[in-house]
């Protein structure tokens, strides 16, 4: 069951979370604004109500998780989101990261390989608030060619490698933020696509994501 009530207590906890994120180095004001204004507890079962604003990942069913707020903030900051950006997200999960990008004024195309998680988005609480999110059921390794090219692409699962089809679907000068496996953890990479189709790579911190898997699941 989910509870859709945003109380002063929840808002207070979000303000504390914002302070934590700033202390950890998040400085993009638009990212902080979005996180401060989106009720994360709406994306979780009511059992998590009291802890929804701890800086932790939580289970969302089907063995998957909603990413830690710091991770969402970190990836969103690296994406340098501008109003009107067309962004592809791999791994819809709870829909929280998609909502953060939508709140920042992006057009969001988000794809999920687990049918049950995808189906949950039919009751997406912010359908009216964020008409700028489109949900797809499919394999993120394939991207969403029908809507390519994208200004930005964000992968929210541990990628075994940089998927070539996603590089193809990026605009020249576009950015991709992707956690790539390095032993038990993932290295956050940001690639910038060059005019000749190749890319430059920047290396950031280590994170821990659920795996990016090929194919779809019913
Ligand atoms: N962005 C999500 C985080 C979800 S965890 C959120 O804000 O809640 C990662 C998600 O990626 C899981 O739901 C998992 O099912 C999905 N996933 C893993 N591999 C995928 C793939 N190849 N294509 C699409 N989704 C994938």
């Amino acid at each position: 069951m989910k509870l859709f009530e945003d109380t002063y207590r929840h808002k207070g906890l979000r303000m504390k979370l914002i302070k934590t994120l700033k202390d950890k180095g998040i400085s993009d004001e638009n990212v902080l604004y979005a996180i401060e204004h989106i009720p994360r507890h709406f994306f979780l079962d009511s059992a998590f109500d009291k802890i929804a604003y701890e800086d932790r990942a939580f289970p969302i069913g089907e063995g998957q998780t909603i990413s830690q707020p710091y991770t969402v903030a970190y990836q969103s900051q690296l994406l340098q989101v501008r109003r009107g950006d067309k962004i592809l997200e791999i791994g819809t999960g709870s829909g929280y990261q998609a909502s953060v990008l939508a709140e920042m004024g992006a057009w969001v195309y988000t794809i999920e390989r687990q049918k049950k998680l995808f189906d949950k988005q039919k009751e997406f609480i912010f359908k009216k608030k964020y008409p700028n999110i489109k949900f797809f059921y499919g394999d993120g390794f394939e991207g969403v060619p029908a809507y390519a090219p994208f200004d930005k692409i964000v992968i929210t699962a541990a990628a075994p490698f940089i998927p070539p089809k996603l590089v193809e679907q990026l605009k020249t000068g576009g950015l991709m933020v992707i956690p790539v496996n390095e032993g038990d953890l993932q290295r956050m990479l940001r690639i910038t696509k060059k005019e000749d189709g190749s890319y430059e790579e920047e290396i950031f911190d280590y994170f821990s994501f659920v795996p990016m898997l090929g194919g779809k699941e019913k």
Side-chain angles (χ1 to χ4, degrees), residues 8-190:
Y8 279 106
R9 188 183 69 81
H10 292 115
K11 288 180 180 136
L13 291 172
R14 282 208 292 283
M15 283 170 66
K16 268 178 74 182
L17 172 61
I18 295 303
K19 175 155 188 328
T20 304
L21 296 177
K22 280 186 181 165
D23 290 347
K24 288 186 174 179
I26 303 298
S27 58
D28 184 324
E29 288 297 333
N30 297 326
V31 171
L32 294 167
Y33 180 94
I35 291 177
E36 188 177 339
H37 289 87
I38 299 173
R40 186 180 191 234
H41 62 287
F42 286 11
F43 296 80
L44 292 164
D45 193 86
S46 59
F48 296 98
D49 188 70
K50 288 213 161 49
I51 50 176
Y53 294 99
E54 290 180 8
D55 192 17
R56 294 168 48 183
F58 290 112
I60 54 170
E62 313 312 314
Q64 304 304 322
T65 55
I66 180 173
S67 300
Q68 185 182 341
Y70 174 65
T71 307
V72 172
Y74 193 97
Q75 291 197 287
S76 304
Q77 176 161 293
L78 284 181
L79 276 178
Q80 302 178 338
V81 181
R82 302 284 171 266
R83 209 153 264 287
D85 273 351
K86 217 173 124 183
I87 304 183
L88 173 64
E89 179 199 21
I90 311 301
T92 310
S94 67
Y96 179 71
Q97 168 78 74
S99 300
V100 168
L101 299 174
E103 178 66 37
M104 294 172 80
W107 296 95
V108 184
Y109 300 77
T110 182
I111 180 164
E112 172 58 55
R113 67 180 289 280
Q114 292 254 10
K115 185 74 164 52
K116 285 193 183 126
L117 291 178
F118 170 76
D119 283 342
K120 278 190 192 166
Q121 300 305 334
K122 290 185 179 136
E123 296 147 40
F124 181 55
I125 173 89
F126 291 130
K127 230 176 217 163
K128 286 219 174 81
K129 188 172 180 201
Y130 301 129
N132 47 333
I133 305 180
K134 264 189 199 298
F135 296 94
F136 298 86
Y137 168 51
D139 176 4
F141 282 100
E142 302 294 320
V144 183
Y147 288 91
F150 299 95
D151 297 297
K152 319 265 163 82
I153 299 181
V154 59
I155 288 83
T156 68
F161 51 83
I162 296 173
K165 287 185 184 166
L166 296 185
V167 178
E168 269 171 36
Q169 292 172 35
L170 201 54
K171 282 184 191 167
T172 299
L175 301 177
M176 184 191 302
V177 172
I178 178 167
V180 178
N181 281 336
E182 228 179 72
D184 290 342
L185 292 172
Q186 295 85 48
R187 220 9 154 29
M188 194 69 78
L189 304 180
R190 178 168 64 188

Side-chain angles (χ1 to χ4, degrees), residues 198-213:
S198 67
Y199 54 82
E200 269 165 23
E201 201 174 290
E202 295 167 276
I203 300 171
F204 297 91
D205 296 332
Y206 286 105
F207 286 85
S208 174
F209 284 84
V210 295
M212 179 175 182
L213 302 170

